Amino acid sequence: MRTWSDSPFSTQVEVSSVKLTGEHLGEGGQSRSVERIADRPHWVAKFYKSPLGPQESAVLDRMVRLPHSMTAREREKLDHSTAWPVSRITDSGRTVGVIMAEAPSGFYVPFNLRGGRRSEPKELQLDHLVNDSGYLSGIGVHPPSRQRRQEITCGFLELGVVLERHDVVYGDWSYRNALWDHDGASVFMLDMDSCGIGTRPWISSHEWTDPVLPEGSTLTVTTDRYLMALLSLRCLTGVRGEPLDSLGALEEDWPTGDGLPRLLRRAFTATDPSQRPRAAELLDALRNPGAARPPANVPQGSNVTGFRPVRSRTGTKPPPAPVQVKPQPPAPAPAPAPTKPQPPAPGRKSSGRRLLPLMLLVLCAALLVGFLSARYF
């Protein structure tokens, strides 16, 4: 099911028309309850703790309609990787909730419990991925290979590219809002209804805070760039905590001279948020290993070693043709070396000068022969 394109709802519905199963799926953040819709399988209603104000309601309306302005490929990414808002729930004109698709079954797995028991299927969160292989095996999840970690990271970055291209500020990249598929490399983001367009209010999440912004600041796409870099690093390494520490470990394992570690370091150390690399730059560096590129102007944990960057699916550039060397005629044979080694002359002598001593020797021999002939014969 496509999570936006297959919506059976109008963009606004009255709360009285929403029939619920009564099954409480969760709460937290700005929501007081998330429940399944009785007559619409795979769709859920999220109810807010307090009604949204007029400005927040207007932003939510824009989010509901935004995929209309996207390309088919961008909508496809949203349809398979996000719980995108499809309808605003109102009560006497006030916005009291939103309708979104439930995450597909591939993002739920049973976990090991004490006594050899298994839990009911639960969300497989980034919180689980950012751990070492021993932890994952202990909870009954097969640890992803290095290649799968890179593919999962690419999935999140692909979504980040689409959001940034449309100036959508998510801001809530965190351990619990990002899901990954146990059997593949698909990803899924929750709570997309809280996004802003251009800006969004401050949101605090432990270990996911922009270090250059004072608390309470308005968030922009530059904050998402930092959080996307942080998410990428943690997906690749399985390590939490201070990003520069785990980045150092990544740099030791990553191919020398590759651009990705440099881009990540720039994201974590830039004091000017506008200098942080875009999601598209990180994605390109991960898919196409090589030297770091200039900043673009347009739109296994501690147990993970020996990374092999993901290659582009479109193939690689063919190697340059070998340089053809034009054949040269053979050089003339060198003159015979003299019997007694001589130091090299300062300049190249002409052939006439080299024959002069020989001619004098021949002349003297001829005179001697003539003299002896005249005397004895």
Side-chain angles (χ1 to χ4, degrees), residues 109-146:
V109 297
F111 296 108
N112 288 343
L113 301 174
R114 292 180 179 179
R117 296 176 297 112
R118 298 276 278 175
S119 72
E120 292 295 320
K122 297 182 180 296
E123 293 173 345
L124 187 58
Q125 302 170 343
L126 182 67
D127 194 31
H128 303 111
L129 181 63
V130 186
N131 281 286
D132 60 27
S133 298
Y135 170 84
L136 289 166
S137 297
I139 63 173
V141 175
H142 182 69
S145 65
R146 292 187 294 270

PDB file of all heavy atoms in Angstrom, residues 109-146:
ATOM      1  N   VAL A 109       8.964  -6.659  14.332  1.00  0.00           N
ATOM      2  CA  VAL A 109       9.536  -7.985  14.601  1.00  0.00           C
ATOM      3  C   VAL A 109       9.251  -8.363  16.061  1.00  0.00           C
ATOM      4  O   VAL A 109       9.113  -7.489  16.920  1.00  0.00           O
ATOM      5  CB  VAL A 109      11.064  -8.019  14.366  1.00  0.00           C
ATOM      6  CG1 VAL A 109      11.410  -7.746  12.913  1.00  0.00           C
ATOM      7  CG2 VAL A 109      11.780  -7.045  15.283  1.00  0.00           C
ATOM      8  N   PRO A 110       9.181  -9.670  16.364  1.00  0.00           N
ATOM      9  CA  PRO A 110       9.102 -10.096  17.767  1.00  0.00           C
ATOM     10  C   PRO A 110      10.496 -10.082  18.389  1.00  0.00           C
ATOM     11  O   PRO A 110      11.493 -10.348  17.701  1.00  0.00           O
ATOM     12  CB  PRO A 110       8.562 -11.521  17.659  1.00  0.00           C
ATOM     13  CG  PRO A 110       9.000 -11.994  16.312  1.00  0.00           C
ATOM     14  CD  PRO A 110       9.028 -10.788  15.428  1.00  0.00           C
ATOM     15  N   PHE A 111      10.585  -9.762  19.651  1.00  0.00           N
ATOM     16  CA  PHE A 111      11.868  -9.722  20.348  1.00  0.00           C
ATOM     17  C   PHE A 111      11.942 -10.842  21.383  1.00  0.00           C
ATOM     18  O   PHE A 111      10.909 -11.290  21.900  1.00  0.00           O
ATOM     19  CB  PHE A 111      12.061  -8.365  21.036  1.00  0.00           C
ATOM     20  CG  PHE A 111      12.152  -7.206  20.088  1.00  0.00           C
ATOM     21  CD1 PHE A 111      11.109  -6.294  19.985  1.00  0.00           C
ATOM     22  CD2 PHE A 111      13.271  -7.027  19.295  1.00  0.00           C
ATOM     23  CE1 PHE A 111      11.187  -5.230  19.107  1.00  0.00           C
ATOM     24  CE2 PHE A 111      13.360  -5.960  18.415  1.00  0.00           C
ATOM     25  CZ  PHE A 111      12.311  -5.058  18.315  1.00  0.00           C
ATOM     26  N   ASN A 112      13.160 -11.259  21.688  1.00  0.00           N
ATOM     27  CA  ASN A 112      13.371 -12.266  22.719  1.00  0.00           C
ATOM     28  C   ASN A 112      13.009 -11.711  24.088  1.00  0.00           C
ATOM     29  O   ASN A 112      13.317 -10.547  24.408  1.00  0.00           O
ATOM     30  CB  ASN A 112      14.832 -12.716  22.746  1.00  0.00           C
ATOM     31  CG  ASN A 112      15.204 -13.576  21.550  1.00  0.00           C
ATOM     32  OD1 ASN A 112      14.327 -14.107  20.863  1.00  0.00           O
ATOM     33  ND2 ASN A 112      16.497 -13.719  21.296  1.00  0.00           N
ATOM     34  N   LEU A 113      12.359 -12.535  24.883  1.00  0.00           N
ATOM     35  CA  LEU A 113      12.027 -12.199  26.266  1.00  0.00           C
ATOM     36  C   LEU A 113      12.691 -13.212  27.190  1.00  0.00           C
ATOM     37  O   LEU A 113      13.223 -14.233  26.741  1.00  0.00           O
ATOM     38  CB  LEU A 113      10.512 -12.209  26.467  1.00  0.00           C
ATOM     39  CG  LEU A 113       9.690 -11.254  25.598  1.00  0.00           C
ATOM     40  CD1 LEU A 113       8.205 -11.500  25.829  1.00  0.00           C
ATOM     41  CD2 LEU A 113      10.058  -9.810  25.895  1.00  0.00           C
ATOM     42  N   ARG A 114      12.661 -12.943  28.461  1.00  0.00           N
ATOM     43  CA  ARG A 114      13.230 -13.876  29.430  1.00  0.00           C
ATOM     44  C   ARG A 114      12.442 -15.191  29.419  1.00  0.00           C
ATOM     45  O   ARG A 114      11.241 -15.204  29.153  1.00  0.00           O
ATOM     46  CB  ARG A 114      13.186 -13.269  30.834  1.00  0.00           C
ATOM     47  CG  ARG A 114      14.125 -12.085  31.006  1.00  0.00           C
ATOM     48  CD  ARG A 114      14.043 -11.530  32.413  1.00  0.00           C
ATOM     49  NE  ARG A 114      14.962 -10.406  32.599  1.00  0.00           N
ATOM     50  CZ  ARG A 114      15.072  -9.716  33.734  1.00  0.00           C
ATOM     51  NH1 ARG A 114      14.297 -10.040  34.778  1.00  0.00           N
ATOM     52  NH2 ARG A 114      15.926  -8.722  33.824  1.00  0.00           N
ATOM     53  N   GLY A 115      13.150 -16.262  29.701  1.00  0.00           N
ATOM     54  CA  GLY A 115      12.511 -17.565  29.743  1.00  0.00           C
ATOM     55  C   GLY A 115      12.288 -18.176  28.375  1.00  0.00           C
ATOM     56  O   GLY A 115      11.481 -19.089  28.228  1.00  0.00           O
ATOM     57  N   GLY A 116      12.991 -17.642  27.360  1.00  0.00           N
ATOM     58  CA  GLY A 116      12.867 -18.205  26.022  1.00  0.00           C
ATOM     59  C   GLY A 116      11.609 -17.802  25.281  1.00  0.00           C
ATOM     60  O   GLY A 116      11.304 -18.360  24.226  1.00  0.00           O
ATOM     61  N   ARG A 117      10.848 -16.865  25.814  1.00  0.00           N
ATOM     62  CA  ARG A 117       9.619 -16.426  25.153  1.00  0.00           C
ATOM     63  C   ARG A 117       9.919 -15.340  24.124  1.00  0.00           C
ATOM     64  O   ARG A 117      10.999 -14.759  24.103  1.00  0.00           O
ATOM     65  CB  ARG A 117       8.627 -15.910  26.199  1.00  0.00           C
ATOM     66  CG  ARG A 117       8.157 -16.989  27.176  1.00  0.00           C
ATOM     67  CD  ARG A 117       7.259 -16.421  28.259  1.00  0.00           C
ATOM     68  NE  ARG A 117       7.940 -15.449  29.108  1.00  0.00           N
ATOM     69  CZ  ARG A 117       7.676 -14.160  29.153  1.00  0.00           C
ATOM     70  NH1 ARG A 117       6.708 -13.651  28.401  1.00  0.00           N
ATOM     71  NH2 ARG A 117       8.339 -13.362  29.974  1.00  0.00           N
ATOM     72  N   ARG A 118       8.935 -15.079  23.255  1.00  0.00           N
ATOM     73  CA  ARG A 118       9.048 -14.034  22.236  1.00  0.00           C
ATOM     74  C   ARG A 118       7.892 -13.058  22.397  1.00  0.00           C
ATOM     75  O   ARG A 118       6.757 -13.444  22.708  1.00  0.00           O
ATOM     76  CB  ARG A 118       9.020 -14.625  20.832  1.00  0.00           C
ATOM     77  CG  ARG A 118      10.159 -15.582  20.519  1.00  0.00           C
ATOM     78  CD  ARG A 118      11.399 -14.831  20.068  1.00  0.00           C
ATOM     79  NE  ARG A 118      11.306 -14.482  18.655  1.00  0.00           N
ATOM     80  CZ  ARG A 118      12.221 -13.737  18.034  1.00  0.00           C
ATOM     81  NH1 ARG A 118      13.253 -13.244  18.707  1.00  0.00           N
ATOM     82  NH2 ARG A 118      12.101 -13.472  16.749  1.00  0.00           N
ATOM     83  N   SER A 119       8.146 -11.785  22.166  1.00  0.00           N
ATOM     84  CA  SER A 119       7.118 -10.763  22.279  1.00  0.00           C
ATOM     85  C   SER A 119       6.239 -10.743  21.037  1.00  0.00           C
ATOM     86  O   SER A 119       6.540 -11.385  20.023  1.00  0.00           O
ATOM     87  CB  SER A 119       7.780  -9.396  22.453  1.00  0.00           C
ATOM     88  OG  SER A 119       8.384  -8.978  21.228  1.00  0.00           O
ATOM     89  N   GLU A 120       5.183  -9.986  21.109  1.00  0.00           N
ATOM     90  CA  GLU A 120       4.400  -9.689  19.918  1.00  0.00           C
ATOM     91  C   GLU A 120       5.249  -8.790  19.008  1.00  0.00           C
ATOM     92  O   GLU A 120       6.169  -8.115  19.478  1.00  0.00           O
ATOM     93  CB  GLU A 120       3.111  -8.966  20.308  1.00  0.00           C
ATOM     94  CG  GLU A 120       2.131  -9.831  21.084  1.00  0.00           C
ATOM     95  CD  GLU A 120       1.602 -10.979  20.236  1.00  0.00           C
ATOM     96  OE1 GLU A 120       1.328 -10.761  19.028  1.00  0.00           O
ATOM     97  OE2 GLU A 120       1.487 -12.098  20.768  1.00  0.00           O
ATOM     98  N   PRO A 121       4.984  -8.784  17.704  1.00  0.00           N
ATOM     99  CA  PRO A 121       5.774  -7.916  16.820  1.00  0.00           C
ATOM    100  C   PRO A 121       5.727  -6.458  17.270  1.00  0.00           C
ATOM    101  O   PRO A 121       4.660  -5.914  17.550  1.00  0.00           O
ATOM    102  CB  PRO A 121       5.109  -8.101  15.450  1.00  0.00           C
ATOM    103  CG  PRO A 121       4.506  -9.477  15.526  1.00  0.00           C
ATOM    104  CD  PRO A 121       4.027  -9.611  16.954  1.00  0.00           C
ATOM    105  N   LYS A 122       6.895  -5.844  17.344  1.00  0.00           N
ATOM    106  CA  LYS A 122       7.019  -4.445  17.738  1.00  0.00           C
ATOM    107  C   LYS A 122       7.889  -3.709  16.718  1.00  0.00           C
ATOM    108  O   LYS A 122       8.592  -4.329  15.916  1.00  0.00           O
ATOM    109  CB  LYS A 122       7.632  -4.332  19.137  1.00  0.00           C
ATOM    110  CG  LYS A 122       6.789  -4.950  20.240  1.00  0.00           C
ATOM    111  CD  LYS A 122       7.443  -4.757  21.604  1.00  0.00           C
ATOM    112  CE  LYS A 122       6.601  -5.377  22.713  1.00  0.00           C
ATOM    113  NZ  LYS A 122       5.284  -4.699  22.830  1.00  0.00           N
ATOM    114  N   GLU A 123       7.824  -2.369  16.763  1.00  0.00           N
ATOM    115  CA  GLU A 123       8.598  -1.570  15.809  1.00  0.00           C
ATOM    116  C   GLU A 123      10.093  -1.866  15.928  1.00  0.00           C
ATOM    117  O   GLU A 123      10.636  -1.918  17.033  1.00  0.00           O
ATOM    118  CB  GLU A 123       8.359  -0.085  16.070  1.00  0.00           C
ATOM    119  CG  GLU A 123       6.944   0.381  15.762  1.00  0.00           C
ATOM    120  CD  GLU A 123       6.718   1.819  16.190  1.00  0.00           C
ATOM    121  OE1 GLU A 123       7.542   2.361  16.960  1.00  0.00           O
ATOM    122  OE2 GLU A 123       5.707   2.400  15.762  1.00  0.00           O
ATOM    123  N   LEU A 124      10.734  -2.036  14.775  1.00  0.00           N
ATOM    124  CA  LEU A 124      12.184  -2.203  14.726  1.00  0.00           C
ATOM    125  C   LEU A 124      12.780  -0.822  14.472  1.00  0.00           C
ATOM    126  O   LEU A 124      12.774  -0.314  13.356  1.00  0.00           O
ATOM    127  CB  LEU A 124      12.577  -3.188  13.624  1.00  0.00           C
ATOM    128  CG  LEU A 124      14.052  -3.586  13.554  1.00  0.00           C
ATOM    129  CD1 LEU A 124      14.523  -4.213  14.863  1.00  0.00           C
ATOM    130  CD2 LEU A 124      14.297  -4.538  12.393  1.00  0.00           C
ATOM    131  N   GLN A 125      13.259  -0.196  15.541  1.00  0.00           N
ATOM    132  CA  GLN A 125      13.630   1.212  15.500  1.00  0.00           C
ATOM    133  C   GLN A 125      15.137   1.404  15.270  1.00  0.00           C
ATOM    134  O   GLN A 125      15.937   0.478  15.429  1.00  0.00           O
ATOM    135  CB  GLN A 125      13.233   1.877  16.825  1.00  0.00           C
ATOM    136  CG  GLN A 125      11.758   1.766  17.143  1.00  0.00           C
ATOM    137  CD  GLN A 125      11.445   2.225  18.561  1.00  0.00           C
ATOM    138  OE1 GLN A 125      12.321   2.342  19.406  1.00  0.00           O
ATOM    139  NE2 GLN A 125      10.170   2.471  18.831  1.00  0.00           N
ATOM    140  N   LEU A 126      15.463   2.623  14.921  1.00  0.00           N
ATOM    141  CA  LEU A 126      16.874   2.999  14.855  1.00  0.00           C
ATOM    142  C   LEU A 126      17.543   2.758  16.206  1.00  0.00           C
ATOM    143  O   LEU A 126      18.741   2.461  16.275  1.00  0.00           O
ATOM    144  CB  LEU A 126      16.996   4.478  14.462  1.00  0.00           C
ATOM    145  CG  LEU A 126      18.406   5.036  14.302  1.00  0.00           C
ATOM    146  CD1 LEU A 126      19.110   4.399  13.107  1.00  0.00           C
ATOM    147  CD2 LEU A 126      18.369   6.558  14.142  1.00  0.00           C
ATOM    148  N   ASP A 127      16.767   2.850  17.264  1.00  0.00           N
ATOM    149  CA  ASP A 127      17.263   2.590  18.607  1.00  0.00           C
ATOM    150  C   ASP A 127      17.875   1.197  18.717  1.00  0.00           C
ATOM    151  O   ASP A 127      18.822   0.978  19.473  1.00  0.00           O
ATOM    152  CB  ASP A 127      16.102   2.730  19.599  1.00  0.00           C
ATOM    153  CG  ASP A 127      16.577   2.808  21.047  1.00  0.00           C
ATOM    154  OD1 ASP A 127      17.679   3.325  21.283  1.00  0.00           O
ATOM    155  OD2 ASP A 127      15.847   2.329  21.923  1.00  0.00           O
ATOM    156  N   HIS A 128      17.350   0.244  17.953  1.00  0.00           N
ATOM    157  CA  HIS A 128      17.906  -1.104  17.947  1.00  0.00           C
ATOM    158  C   HIS A 128      19.129  -1.208  17.030  1.00  0.00           C
ATOM    159  O   HIS A 128      20.094  -1.898  17.342  1.00  0.00           O
ATOM    160  CB  HIS A 128      16.848  -2.120  17.495  1.00  0.00           C
ATOM    161  CG  HIS A 128      15.613  -2.098  18.340  1.00  0.00           C
ATOM    162  ND1 HIS A 128      14.387  -1.647  17.884  1.00  0.00           N
ATOM    163  CD2 HIS A 128      15.410  -2.450  19.638  1.00  0.00           C
ATOM    164  CE1 HIS A 128      13.483  -1.743  18.837  1.00  0.00           C
ATOM    165  NE2 HIS A 128      14.076  -2.219  19.921  1.00  0.00           N
ATOM    166  N   LEU A 129      19.072  -0.507  15.889  1.00  0.00           N
ATOM    167  CA  LEU A 129      20.166  -0.588  14.916  1.00  0.00           C
ATOM    168  C   LEU A 129      21.464  -0.011  15.460  1.00  0.00           C
ATOM    169  O   LEU A 129      22.558  -0.506  15.154  1.00  0.00           O
ATOM    170  CB  LEU A 129      19.759   0.146  13.630  1.00  0.00           C
ATOM    171  CG  LEU A 129      20.773   0.141  12.481  1.00  0.00           C
ATOM    172  CD1 LEU A 129      21.021  -1.274  11.985  1.00  0.00           C
ATOM    173  CD2 LEU A 129      20.284   1.029  11.348  1.00  0.00           C
ATOM    174  N   VAL A 130      21.341   1.048  16.275  1.00  0.00           N
ATOM    175  CA  VAL A 130      22.552   1.699  16.797  1.00  0.00           C
ATOM    176  C   VAL A 130      23.020   0.935  18.036  1.00  0.00           C
ATOM    177  O   VAL A 130      22.954   1.415  19.166  1.00  0.00           O
ATOM    178  CB  VAL A 130      22.298   3.192  17.087  1.00  0.00           C
ATOM    179  CG1 VAL A 130      23.601   3.883  17.486  1.00  0.00           C
ATOM    180  CG2 VAL A 130      21.708   3.872  15.858  1.00  0.00           C
ATOM    181  N   ASN A 131      23.461  -0.268  17.798  1.00  0.00           N
ATOM    182  CA  ASN A 131      24.004  -1.170  18.811  1.00  0.00           C
ATOM    183  C   ASN A 131      24.938  -2.157  18.125  1.00  0.00           C
ATOM    184  O   ASN A 131      24.941  -2.273  16.888  1.00  0.00           O
ATOM    185  CB  ASN A 131      22.877  -1.939  19.520  1.00  0.00           C
ATOM    186  CG  ASN A 131      22.175  -1.111  20.579  1.00  0.00           C
ATOM    187  OD1 ASN A 131      22.725  -0.867  21.658  1.00  0.00           O
ATOM    188  ND2 ASN A 131      20.956  -0.674  20.278  1.00  0.00           N
ATOM    189  N   ASP A 132      25.713  -2.880  18.917  1.00  0.00           N
ATOM    190  CA  ASP A 132      26.623  -3.843  18.321  1.00  0.00           C
ATOM    191  C   ASP A 132      25.910  -5.168  18.039  1.00  0.00           C
ATOM    192  O   ASP A 132      24.743  -5.375  18.390  1.00  0.00           O
ATOM    193  CB  ASP A 132      27.861  -4.058  19.191  1.00  0.00           C
ATOM    194  CG  ASP A 132      27.529  -4.577  20.583  1.00  0.00           C
ATOM    195  OD1 ASP A 132      26.485  -5.236  20.737  1.00  0.00           O
ATOM    196  OD2 ASP A 132      28.315  -4.324  21.515  1.00  0.00           O
ATOM    197  N   SER A 133      26.634  -6.064  17.382  1.00  0.00           N
ATOM    198  CA  SER A 133      26.045  -7.335  16.960  1.00  0.00           C
ATOM    199  C   SER A 133      25.592  -8.188  18.138  1.00  0.00           C
ATOM    200  O   SER A 133      24.582  -8.894  18.051  1.00  0.00           O
ATOM    201  CB  SER A 133      27.056  -8.118  16.113  1.00  0.00           C
ATOM    202  OG  SER A 133      27.392  -7.400  14.950  1.00  0.00           O
ATOM    203  N   GLY A 134      26.325  -8.135  19.245  1.00  0.00           N
ATOM    204  CA  GLY A 134      25.958  -8.930  20.408  1.00  0.00           C
ATOM    205  C   GLY A 134      24.601  -8.544  20.958  1.00  0.00           C
ATOM    206  O   GLY A 134      23.787  -9.409  21.315  1.00  0.00           O
ATOM    207  N   TYR A 135      24.337  -7.248  21.037  1.00  0.00           N
ATOM    208  CA  TYR A 135      23.040  -6.787  21.532  1.00  0.00           C
ATOM    209  C   TYR A 135      21.924  -7.250  20.607  1.00  0.00           C
ATOM    210  O   TYR A 135      20.895  -7.768  21.060  1.00  0.00           O
ATOM    211  CB  TYR A 135      23.030  -5.260  21.645  1.00  0.00           C
ATOM    212  CG  TYR A 135      21.653  -4.687  21.912  1.00  0.00           C
ATOM    213  CD1 TYR A 135      21.155  -4.609  23.205  1.00  0.00           C
ATOM    214  CD2 TYR A 135      20.852  -4.248  20.857  1.00  0.00           C
ATOM    215  CE1 TYR A 135      19.883  -4.098  23.445  1.00  0.00           C
ATOM    216  CE2 TYR A 135      19.581  -3.742  21.085  1.00  0.00           C
ATOM    217  CZ  TYR A 135      19.102  -3.669  22.385  1.00  0.00           C
ATOM    218  OH  TYR A 135      17.834  -3.173  22.615  1.00  0.00           O
ATOM    219  N   LEU A 136      22.102  -7.058  19.293  1.00  0.00           N
ATOM    220  CA  LEU A 136      21.063  -7.419  18.340  1.00  0.00           C
ATOM    221  C   LEU A 136      20.767  -8.922  18.385  1.00  0.00           C
ATOM    222  O   LEU A 136      19.605  -9.342  18.378  1.00  0.00           O
ATOM    223  CB  LEU A 136      21.477  -6.993  16.931  1.00  0.00           C
ATOM    224  CG  LEU A 136      21.475  -5.470  16.694  1.00  0.00           C
ATOM    225  CD1 LEU A 136      22.206  -5.122  15.419  1.00  0.00           C
ATOM    226  CD2 LEU A 136      20.045  -4.944  16.654  1.00  0.00           C
ATOM    227  N   SER A 137      21.814  -9.723  18.448  1.00  0.00           N
ATOM    228  CA  SER A 137      21.608 -11.173  18.543  1.00  0.00           C
ATOM    229  C   SER A 137      20.867 -11.536  19.825  1.00  0.00           C
ATOM    230  O   SER A 137      20.011 -12.428  19.841  1.00  0.00           O
ATOM    231  CB  SER A 137      22.949 -11.901  18.485  1.00  0.00           C
ATOM    232  OG  SER A 137      23.593 -11.674  17.255  1.00  0.00           O
ATOM    233  N   GLY A 138      21.165 -10.823  20.903  1.00  0.00           N
ATOM    234  CA  GLY A 138      20.540 -11.109  22.184  1.00  0.00           C
ATOM    235  C   GLY A 138      19.046 -10.854  22.197  1.00  0.00           C
ATOM    236  O   GLY A 138      18.297 -11.540  22.898  1.00  0.00           O
ATOM    237  N   ILE A 139      18.586  -9.861  21.416  1.00  0.00           N
ATOM    238  CA  ILE A 139      17.151  -9.577  21.385  1.00  0.00           C
ATOM    239  C   ILE A 139      16.452 -10.338  20.262  1.00  0.00           C
ATOM    240  O   ILE A 139      15.256 -10.160  20.031  1.00  0.00           O
ATOM    241  CB  ILE A 139      16.873  -8.065  21.250  1.00  0.00           C
ATOM    242  CG1 ILE A 139      17.420  -7.523  19.931  1.00  0.00           C
ATOM    243  CG2 ILE A 139      17.449  -7.313  22.437  1.00  0.00           C
ATOM    244  CD1 ILE A 139      17.034  -6.074  19.657  1.00  0.00           C
ATOM    245  N   GLY A 140      17.213 -11.178  19.546  1.00  0.00           N
ATOM    246  CA  GLY A 140      16.605 -12.004  18.508  1.00  0.00           C
ATOM    247  C   GLY A 140      16.550 -11.377  17.141  1.00  0.00           C
ATOM    248  O   GLY A 140      15.781 -11.816  16.279  1.00  0.00           O
ATOM    249  N   VAL A 141      17.368 -10.353  16.909  1.00  0.00           N
ATOM    250  CA  VAL A 141      17.420  -9.689  15.608  1.00  0.00           C
ATOM    251  C   VAL A 141      18.750 -10.028  14.948  1.00  0.00           C
ATOM    252  O   VAL A 141      19.807  -9.826  15.546  1.00  0.00           O
ATOM    253  CB  VAL A 141      17.279  -8.159  15.758  1.00  0.00           C
ATOM    254  CG1 VAL A 141      17.452  -7.470  14.406  1.00  0.00           C
ATOM    255  CG2 VAL A 141      15.920  -7.813  16.364  1.00  0.00           C
ATOM    256  N   HIS A 142      18.680 -10.530  13.725  1.00  0.00           N
ATOM    257  CA  HIS A 142      19.913 -10.876  13.015  1.00  0.00           C
ATOM    258  C   HIS A 142      20.686  -9.590  12.712  1.00  0.00           C
ATOM    259  O   HIS A 142      20.152  -8.677  12.081  1.00  0.00           O
ATOM    260  CB  HIS A 142      19.599 -11.612  11.719  1.00  0.00           C
ATOM    261  CG  HIS A 142      20.819 -12.042  10.969  1.00  0.00           C
ATOM    262  ND1 HIS A 142      21.660 -13.040  11.428  1.00  0.00           N
ATOM    263  CD2 HIS A 142      21.356 -11.600   9.800  1.00  0.00           C
ATOM    264  CE1 HIS A 142      22.651 -13.200  10.572  1.00  0.00           C
ATOM    265  NE2 HIS A 142      22.492 -12.341   9.578  1.00  0.00           N
ATOM    266  N   PRO A 143      21.942  -9.478  13.146  1.00  0.00           N
ATOM    267  CA  PRO A 143      22.699  -8.242  12.922  1.00  0.00           C
ATOM    268  C   PRO A 143      22.877  -7.968  11.435  1.00  0.00           C
ATOM    269  O   PRO A 143      23.213  -8.873  10.668  1.00  0.00           O
ATOM    270  CB  PRO A 143      24.055  -8.529  13.594  1.00  0.00           C
ATOM    271  CG  PRO A 143      23.790  -9.633  14.554  1.00  0.00           C
ATOM    272  CD  PRO A 143      22.713 -10.467  13.922  1.00  0.00           C
ATOM    273  N   PRO A 144      22.641  -6.739  10.999  1.00  0.00           N
ATOM    274  CA  PRO A 144      22.824  -6.420   9.580  1.00  0.00           C
ATOM    275  C   PRO A 144      24.297  -6.435   9.202  1.00  0.00           C
ATOM    276  O   PRO A 144      25.164  -6.076   9.999  1.00  0.00           O
ATOM    277  CB  PRO A 144      22.229  -5.014   9.453  1.00  0.00           C
ATOM    278  CG  PRO A 144      22.380  -4.427  10.813  1.00  0.00           C
ATOM    279  CD  PRO A 144      22.207  -5.562  11.772  1.00  0.00           C
ATOM    280  N   SER A 145      24.574  -6.838   7.984  1.00  0.00           N
ATOM    281  CA  SER A 145      25.944  -6.803   7.479  1.00  0.00           C
ATOM    282  C   SER A 145      26.376  -5.357   7.252  1.00  0.00           C
ATOM    283  O   SER A 145      25.562  -4.427   7.281  1.00  0.00           O
ATOM    284  CB  SER A 145      26.029  -7.569   6.156  1.00  0.00           C
ATOM    285  OG  SER A 145      25.258  -6.913   5.160  1.00  0.00           O
ATOM    286  N   ARG A 146      27.649  -5.174   7.014  1.00  0.00           N
ATOM    287  CA  ARG A 146      28.154  -3.833   6.704  1.00  0.00           C
ATOM    288  C   ARG A 146      27.452  -3.275   5.467  1.00  0.00           C
ATOM    289  O   ARG A 146      27.095  -2.098   5.416  1.00  0.00           O
ATOM    290  CB  ARG A 146      29.672  -3.885   6.490  1.00  0.00           C
ATOM    291  CG  ARG A 146      30.456  -4.205   7.749  1.00  0.00           C
ATOM    292  CD  ARG A 146      31.949  -4.064   7.507  1.00  0.00           C
ATOM    293  NE  ARG A 146      32.456  -5.060   6.571  1.00  0.00           N
ATOM    294  CZ  ARG A 146      32.915  -6.248   6.923  1.00  0.00           C
ATOM    295  NH1 ARG A 146      32.909  -6.595   8.198  1.00  0.00           N
ATOM    296  NH2 ARG A 146      33.378  -7.085   6.018  1.00  0.00           N
TER     297      ARG A 146
END
